[in-house]
Amino acid sequence: MSAADGFEGYDELVAELRANPPVAPESLRQRVLEGAPGAGRRASGKRRLVLVVVPVAAALAVGAALVHGVVSSGSHGAAVVGEALGPATTVAAQGSAKSVHRTPARPRPNTNLSDAGVKAYLPTHLNAVTIPKDRIVHADASLQVQVSSHSALSKATNEATQIVSSLGGYAQSVQYQSSRSGDGNAFLALRVPVGKAETAIGRLGALGRLVSQQVSTKDLQQQLTHRTNVIGSLRRAIAVYEQALKNGSLSAAERVELQIKLANARHSVTEQRKARSATVASGATADISLTLTTNKNGIVGPTHHGSGRFDRLLGSAAGFLALEGIVVLYALVVLSPILVLGGLGWWLVRERRRREETRLLASA
Amino acid sequence: MRAVNALPAALRPPGRVGAQSFADVVAEHLDAVYRYLVYLTGDRAAAEDLAAETFERAFRSWRRFDPRRGAPRTWLCRIAHSTAVDWFRAEARRQRREETYTRDEALLEESVFAEGLSPELDRALRRLTPAEREVVALRVLLELDGPSAARVLGISTTACSTRLSRALKRLEEEMSHVRS
């Protein structure tokens, strides 16, 4: 109060004020004590709501994720295996690993094997992989091969590229991963002439222990025949149009119409030729995806073949939780401008009330 | 104090062992809150109603009161301030509705602030604005320190000191005016 004691009589004034304070009447005291609400009204409704709603929402989110994990892990495993084993055009060689294991005296992989040698080396049922040579066919193959060590991995990677080169193909991409402590992997995207695809698959599979193999073919012969027929028809139509245009009795309108048809036919022929060339090119080569790994289970990449159901459950649940998080984040991003505007509005109202309060107390 | 000792158990919130019970708070601070409200409103009847309402509100939020964040008196004064502002708003609306507001002259003759105050001081206090009487009540009567009073008023400590200084000077001027 030092700021105020600058006038005469300050002390007397304060003393008088303090000496005669208003005293609360006894009736007020009784009223306050008797009129106090019961114990049931003490708890804060908002706080209780927050304390209940937040854990319940979190529990629901986690529960939904677990339910999703349980449901999807039960069916997902079978689906993945089904994919690995493949449909009718796919040959799976999961069993081949067993047969290799049963042969301790397995010969060392030889990358210079002939076609006959490869077929003799592979397990019997893999010899059934045949790619028709008398038709235009596009072939896709996927192989997983396990090698014994990091040095073998490096060697097998080099040998794989040499194999495809020797067969007239090439390596589109090579991805090599190796660490001192963990497993080493190499992912190769290879392309070889279709006629040499079987040989390539056999020799690549012989680089180590063949863990899995998928081969799919797509017949392009019918497509090629259809395009050839279309081109023939268009050529005949072009000849007819050209002959007709030589006729001098055509009216101007008819001539223009024929010229348009001729131009369209020529354009279509060009397009069909390009498409046929693409079909032929596609049928000329086979795409081979080769995975080399030092992992003893032969598991690489995001597949779930070897993981247990619990792992899949956790993975599915985590994925679902992440999805929930994304949804919440998205909602926050969408709502944030509204929240900012709401906050601004709340602040403005508060400031207005504060000013009104000051004016009210200063003028009442 | 006799009434306080006979408090019902509900007035003693459970789980606050070692802390002051609400009944203790009522016993200790009812007079202070009442004084503050008398000075702020300049109306004893209104101050009684507002004091009762203040303690009702305080009881409802008693569990959320954290003594580490401020003294009970400051906390109660803050609630009383909020309650009184609501009352002032309602009064202003009522006045606007009735358009004319004439105070009972007989009532004005009665001592509002305290029985023992000199008539000059009582009249001078009536001439002050509620905001001026409020700061006098907090700093002089209730003897709150600067930061606590500032927290109740929702202003800075400097602004609180300035307001008190002006209020006391104006009070002194009004007293001189009444005397002359």
Side-chain angles (χ1 to χ4, degrees), chain B residues 99-154:
Chain B
E99 290 188 358
T100 53
Y101 180 72
T102 50
R103 295 191 76 172
D104 190 346
E105 289 300 320
L107 198 70
L108 286 174
E109 290 305 313
E110 289 178 9
S111 174
V112 173
F113 298 102
E115 300 299 336
L117 282 184
S118 63
E120 293 87 3
L121 182 54
D122 196 75
R123 280 181 195 167
L125 278 170
R126 285 183 208 178
R127 287 174 185 269
L128 297 186
T129 65
E132 289 167 335
R133 287 198 302 265
E134 183 180 27
V135 74
V136 170
L138 290 172
R139 295 286 277 119
V140 177
L141 274 189
L142 272 61
E143 298 184 57
L144 290 187
D145 57 15
S148 299
R151 197 181 305 160
V152 172
L153 297 171

Coordinates of all heavy atoms in Angstrom, one line a residue, chain B residues 99-154:
Chain B
E99 N -35.8 1.1 -16.9 CA -35.4 2.4 -17.4 C -35.0 3.4 -16.3 O -34.1 4.1 -16.4 CB -36.5 3.0 -18.3 CG -36.6 2.2 -19.6 CD -37.6 2.9 -20.6 OE1 -38.2 3.9 -20.2 OE2 -37.7 2.4 -21.7
T100 N -35.8 3.4 -15.3 CA -35.4 4.4 -14.2 C -35.0 3.6 -13.0 O -35.6 2.5 -12.7 CB -36.6 5.3 -13.8 OG1 -37.7 4.5 -13.5 CG2 -36.9 6.3 -14.9
Y101 N -34.1 4.0 -12.3 CA -33.6 3.3 -11.1 C -33.4 4.4 -10.0 O -32.6 5.2 -10.1 CB -32.3 2.6 -11.4 CG -31.8 1.9 -10.2 CD1 -32.4 0.7 -9.8 CD2 -30.6 2.3 -9.5 CE1 -31.9 0.0 -8.7 CE2 -30.1 1.7 -8.4 CZ -30.8 0.5 -8.0 OH -30.3 -0.2 -7.0
T102 N -34.3 4.3 -9.1 CA -34.2 5.3 -8.0 C -34.0 4.5 -6.7 O -34.8 3.6 -6.3 CB -35.6 6.1 -7.8 OG1 -36.6 5.1 -7.9 CG2 -35.7 7.0 -9.0
R103 N -33.0 4.8 -6.1 CA -32.7 4.1 -4.8 C -33.5 4.7 -3.7 O -33.8 5.9 -3.7 CB -31.2 4.2 -4.5 CG -30.3 3.5 -5.5 CD -28.9 3.5 -5.1 NE -28.8 2.4 -4.1 CZ -27.6 2.0 -3.6 NH1 -26.5 2.6 -4.0 NH2 -27.5 1.1 -2.7
D104 N -33.8 3.9 -2.8 CA -34.6 4.4 -1.6 C -33.7 5.3 -0.8 O -32.6 4.9 -0.3 CB -34.9 3.1 -0.8 CG -35.9 3.5 0.3 OD1 -36.1 4.7 0.6 OD2 -36.5 2.5 0.9
E105 N -34.2 6.6 -0.7 CA -33.4 7.6 0.0 C -33.2 7.2 1.5 O -32.2 7.5 2.1 CB -34.0 8.9 -0.1 CG -33.9 9.5 -1.5 CD -32.5 9.7 -1.9 OE1 -31.6 10.1 -1.1 OE2 -32.2 9.4 -3.1
A106 N -34.2 6.6 2.0 CA -34.2 6.2 3.5 C -33.0 5.2 3.7 O -32.3 5.2 4.7 CB -35.5 5.6 3.9
L107 N -32.9 4.3 2.7 CA -31.8 3.3 2.7 C -30.5 3.9 2.7 O -29.5 3.5 3.4 CB -32.0 2.3 1.6 CG -31.3 1.0 1.7 CD1 -32.0 0.1 2.8 CD2 -31.3 0.2 0.4
L108 N -30.4 5.0 1.9 CA -29.1 5.6 1.7 C -28.6 6.3 3.0 O -27.5 6.4 3.2 CB -29.2 6.7 0.6 CG -29.2 6.2 -0.8 CD1 -29.5 7.4 -1.8 CD2 -27.9 5.5 -1.2
E109 N -29.6 6.6 3.8 CA -29.3 7.3 5.1 C -28.6 6.2 6.1 O -27.9 6.6 7.0 CB -30.5 7.9 5.7 CG -31.0 9.1 5.0 CD -29.9 10.2 4.8 OE1 -29.2 10.5 5.8 OE2 -29.7 10.7 3.7
E110 N -29.0 5.0 5.9 CA -28.5 4.0 6.8 C -27.0 3.7 6.4 O -26.6 3.9 5.3 CB -29.2 2.6 6.6 CG -30.6 2.7 7.1 CD -31.3 1.4 6.9 OE1 -30.7 0.4 6.5 OE2 -32.6 1.3 7.1
S111 N -26.3 3.3 7.4 CA -24.9 2.9 7.2 C -24.8 1.6 6.5 O -25.4 0.6 6.9 CB -24.1 2.8 8.5 OG -22.9 2.3 8.3
V112 N -24.1 1.6 5.3 CA -24.1 0.4 4.5 C -22.9 -0.4 4.8 O -23.0 -1.6 5.0 CB -24.0 0.8 3.0 CG1 -23.8 -0.4 2.1 CG2 -25.3 1.5 2.6
F113 N -21.7 0.2 5.0 CA -20.5 -0.5 5.0 C -20.1 -1.1 6.4 O -19.6 -2.1 6.5 CB -19.3 0.3 4.4 CG -19.6 0.7 3.0 CD1 -20.1 1.9 2.6 CD2 -19.4 -0.3 2.0 CE1 -20.4 2.2 1.3 CE2 -19.7 0.0 0.7 CZ -20.2 1.2 0.3
A114 N -20.4 -0.3 7.4 CA -20.2 -0.8 8.8 C -20.8 0.2 9.7 O -21.0 1.4 9.4 CB -18.7 -0.9 9.1
E115 N -21.3 -0.4 10.9 CA -22.0 0.4 11.8 C -21.1 1.5 12.4 O -21.5 2.6 12.7 CB -22.5 -0.5 13.0 CG -23.5 -1.5 12.5 CD -24.8 -0.9 11.9 OE1 -25.1 0.2 12.2 OE2 -25.4 -1.6 11.0
G116 N -19.9 1.2 12.7 CA -19.0 2.1 13.4 C -18.3 3.2 12.5 O -17.6 4.0 13.0
L117 N -18.5 3.1 11.2 CA -17.9 4.1 10.3 C -18.5 5.5 10.5 O -19.7 5.6 10.8 CB -18.0 3.7 8.9 CG -17.1 2.6 8.3 CD1 -17.4 2.4 6.8 CD2 -15.7 2.9 8.5
S118 N -17.6 6.5 10.3 CA -18.2 7.9 10.4 C -19.1 8.1 9.2 O -18.9 7.5 8.1 CB -17.0 8.8 10.4 OG -16.3 8.7 9.1
P119 N -20.1 8.9 9.4 CA -21.0 9.2 8.2 C -20.3 9.7 7.0 O -20.6 9.4 5.9 CB -22.0 10.2 8.8 CG -21.9 10.1 10.3 CD -20.5 9.6 10.6
E120 N -19.2 10.5 7.3 CA -18.5 11.1 6.1 C -17.8 9.9 5.3 O -17.9 9.9 4.1 CB -17.4 12.0 6.6 CG -17.9 13.3 7.2 CD -18.2 13.1 8.7 OE1 -17.9 12.0 9.2 OE2 -18.7 14.1 9.3
L121 N -17.2 9.0 6.0 CA -16.5 7.9 5.4 C -17.5 7.0 4.7 O -17.2 6.6 3.5 CB -15.6 7.1 6.4 CG -14.8 6.0 5.8 CD1 -13.9 6.5 4.7 CD2 -13.9 5.4 6.9
D122 N -18.6 6.8 5.3 CA -19.6 5.9 4.7 C -20.1 6.5 3.4 O -20.3 5.9 2.4 CB -20.7 5.7 5.7 CG -21.6 4.5 5.3 OD1 -21.2 3.4 5.5 OD2 -22.7 4.8 4.8
R123 N -20.4 7.8 3.5 CA -20.9 8.5 2.3 C -19.8 8.5 1.2 O -20.1 8.4 0.0 CB -21.3 9.9 2.6 CG -22.7 10.0 3.2 CD -23.1 11.4 3.5 NE -24.2 11.4 4.4 CZ -24.7 12.5 5.1 NH1 -24.0 13.6 4.9 NH2 -25.7 12.4 5.9
A124 N -18.6 8.8 1.6 CA -17.5 8.9 0.6 C -17.3 7.5 -0.1 O -17.1 7.4 -1.3 CB -16.2 9.3 1.3
L125 N -17.5 6.4 0.7 CA -17.4 5.1 0.1 C -18.5 4.8 -0.9 O -18.3 4.2 -1.9 CB -17.4 4.0 1.2 CG -16.1 3.8 2.0 CD1 -16.4 2.9 3.2 CD2 -15.1 3.1 1.1
R126 N -19.7 5.4 -0.6 CA -20.8 5.2 -1.5 C -20.5 5.9 -2.8 O -21.0 5.5 -3.9 CB -22.1 5.7 -0.9 CG -22.7 4.9 0.2 CD -24.0 5.5 0.6 NE -24.2 5.1 2.0 CZ -25.3 5.5 2.7 NH1 -26.1 6.4 2.1 NH2 -25.5 5.2 3.9
R127 N -19.8 7.0 -2.8 CA -19.5 7.7 -4.0 C -18.5 7.1 -4.9 O -18.3 7.4 -6.0 CB -19.1 9.1 -3.6 CG -20.2 10.0 -3.1 CD -19.6 11.4 -2.6 NE -20.7 12.2 -2.0 CZ -21.4 13.0 -2.7 NH1 -21.2 13.2 -4.0 NH2 -22.3 13.7 -2.1
L128 N -17.7 6.2 -4.3 CA -16.7 5.4 -5.1 C -17.4 4.5 -6.0 O -18.5 4.0 -5.8 CB -15.7 4.7 -4.2 CG -14.8 5.5 -3.3 CD1 -13.8 4.5 -2.6 CD2 -14.1 6.5 -4.0
T129 N -16.7 4.1 -7.1 CA -17.2 3.1 -8.0 C -17.0 1.7 -7.4 O -16.1 1.6 -6.5 CB -16.5 3.1 -9.4 OG1 -15.2 2.8 -9.2 CG2 -16.6 4.5 -10.0
P130 N -17.7 0.7 -7.8 CA -17.5 -0.7 -7.2 C -16.1 -1.1 -7.4 O -15.5 -1.8 -6.5 CB -18.5 -1.5 -8.0 CG -19.5 -0.6 -8.5 CD -18.9 0.7 -8.7
A131 N -15.5 -0.7 -8.6 CA -14.1 -1.2 -8.8 C -13.1 -0.6 -7.8 O -12.2 -1.2 -7.3 CB -13.7 -0.8 -10.2
E132 N -13.4 0.7 -7.4 CA -12.5 1.4 -6.4 C -12.8 0.8 -5.0 O -11.8 0.5 -4.3 CB -12.8 2.9 -6.4 CG -12.3 3.6 -7.7 CD -12.9 5.0 -7.9 OE1 -14.0 5.3 -7.3 OE2 -12.2 5.8 -8.6
R133 N -14.0 0.5 -4.7 CA -14.3 0.0 -3.4 C -13.7 -1.5 -3.3 O -13.3 -1.9 -2.2 CB -15.8 -0.1 -3.1 CG -16.5 1.2 -2.9 CD -17.8 1.1 -2.2 NE -18.7 0.3 -3.0 CZ -19.6 0.9 -3.9 NH1 -19.7 2.2 -4.0 NH2 -20.4 0.1 -4.6
E134 N -13.8 -2.1 -4.4 CA -13.3 -3.5 -4.5 C -11.8 -3.6 -4.1 O -11.4 -4.4 -3.2 CB -13.5 -4.1 -5.8 CG -13.1 -5.6 -6.0 CD -13.3 -6.1 -7.4 OE1 -13.3 -5.4 -8.3 OE2 -13.5 -7.4 -7.5
V135 N -11.0 -2.7 -4.7 CA -9.6 -2.8 -4.4 C -9.3 -2.3 -3.0 O -8.3 -2.9 -2.3 CB -8.8 -2.0 -5.5 CG1 -8.9 -0.5 -5.3 CG2 -7.3 -2.4 -5.5
V136 N -10.0 -1.4 -2.5 CA -9.9 -1.0 -1.1 C -10.2 -2.1 -0.1 O -9.4 -2.4 0.8 CB -10.8 0.3 -0.8 CG1 -10.8 0.5 0.7 CG2 -10.3 1.5 -1.5
A137 N -11.3 -2.8 -0.5 CA -11.7 -4.0 0.4 C -10.6 -5.0 0.4 O -10.2 -5.6 1.4 CB -13.0 -4.6 -0.1
L138 N -10.0 -5.4 -0.8 CA -9.1 -6.4 -0.9 C -7.8 -6.1 -0.2 O -7.2 -6.9 0.6 CB -8.8 -6.8 -2.4 CG -9.9 -7.5 -3.1 CD1 -9.6 -7.5 -4.6 CD2 -10.2 -8.9 -2.6
R139 N -7.3 -4.8 -0.4 CA -6.0 -4.5 0.1 C -6.0 -3.9 1.5 O -5.0 -4.2 2.3 CB -5.3 -3.4 -0.9 CG -5.1 -3.9 -2.3 CD -3.9 -4.9 -2.3 NE -2.6 -4.1 -2.4 CZ -1.6 -4.2 -1.5 NH1 -1.8 -5.0 -0.4 NH2 -0.5 -3.6 -1.7
V140 N -7.0 -3.2 1.8 CA -7.1 -2.6 3.2 C -7.8 -3.5 4.2 O -7.2 -3.8 5.2 CB -7.7 -1.2 3.1 CG1 -7.8 -0.6 4.5 CG2 -7.0 -0.3 2.1
L141 N -9.0 -3.9 3.8 CA -9.8 -4.7 4.8 C -9.3 -6.1 4.9 O -9.0 -6.6 6.0 CB -11.3 -4.7 4.3 CG -12.2 -3.5 4.8 CD1 -13.6 -3.9 4.4 CD2 -12.1 -3.3 6.3
L142 N -9.2 -6.8 3.8 CA -8.8 -8.2 3.8 C -7.3 -8.3 3.9 O -6.8 -9.5 4.1 CB -9.3 -8.9 2.5 CG -10.7 -9.5 2.6 CD1 -11.8 -8.4 2.9 CD2 -11.1 -10.2 1.3
E143 N -6.6 -7.3 3.6 CA -5.1 -7.2 3.7 C -4.4 -8.3 2.9 O -3.4 -9.0 3.3 CB -4.6 -7.4 5.2 CG -5.1 -6.2 6.1 CD -4.6 -6.3 7.5 OE1 -3.4 -6.3 7.7 OE2 -5.4 -6.4 8.4
L144 N -5.0 -8.4 1.7 CA -4.3 -9.3 0.7 C -3.1 -8.6 0.2 O -3.0 -7.4 0.0 CB -5.2 -9.6 -0.5 CG -6.5 -10.5 -0.2 CD1 -7.1 -10.8 -1.6 CD2 -6.1 -11.8 0.4
D145 N -2.1 -9.4 -0.2 CA -0.9 -8.8 -0.8 C -1.2 -8.4 -2.2 O -2.2 -8.8 -2.8 CB 0.3 -9.7 -0.7 CG 0.1 -11.0 -1.3 OD1 -0.9 -11.2 -2.1 OD2 0.9 -12.0 -1.1
G146 N -0.3 -7.6 -2.8 CA -0.5 -7.1 -4.2 C -0.8 -8.2 -5.2 O -1.8 -8.1 -5.9
P147 N 0.1 -9.2 -5.3 CA -0.2 -10.2 -6.3 C -1.5 -11.0 -6.2 O -2.2 -11.3 -7.1 CB 1.0 -11.2 -6.2 CG 2.1 -10.4 -5.6 CD 1.4 -9.4 -4.7
S148 N -1.9 -11.3 -4.9 CA -3.1 -12.0 -4.6 C -4.3 -11.1 -5.0 O -5.3 -11.6 -5.7 CB -3.3 -12.3 -3.2 OG -2.2 -13.2 -2.8
A149 N -4.3 -9.8 -4.7 CA -5.4 -8.9 -5.0 C -5.5 -8.8 -6.5 O -6.6 -8.8 -7.1 CB -5.1 -7.6 -4.4
A150 N -4.3 -8.7 -7.2 CA -4.3 -8.6 -8.6 C -4.9 -9.8 -9.3 O -5.6 -9.7 -10.3 CB -2.8 -8.3 -9.1
R151 N -4.6 -11.0 -8.7 CA -5.1 -12.2 -9.3 C -6.7 -12.2 -9.2 O -7.4 -12.6 -10.1 CB -4.5 -13.4 -8.5 CG -4.7 -14.7 -9.3 CD -4.2 -15.9 -8.6 NE -2.8 -15.7 -8.2 CZ -2.2 -16.4 -7.3 NH1 -2.8 -17.3 -6.6 NH2 -0.9 -16.2 -7.0
V152 N -7.2 -11.7 -8.0 CA -8.6 -11.7 -7.8 C -9.3 -10.8 -8.9 O -10.3 -11.0 -9.5 CB -9.0 -11.2 -6.4 CG1 -10.5 -11.0 -6.3 CG2 -8.5 -12.2 -5.4
L153 N -8.6 -9.6 -9.1 CA -9.1 -8.6 -10.0 C -8.9 -8.9 -11.5 O -9.5 -8.3 -12.4 CB -8.5 -7.2 -9.7 CG -8.8 -6.7 -8.3 CD1 -8.0 -5.5 -8.0 CD2 -10.3 -6.4 -8.1
G154 N -8.0 -9.8 -11.7 CA -7.7 -10.2 -13.1 C -6.8 -9.1 -13.8 O -6.9 -9.0 -15.0

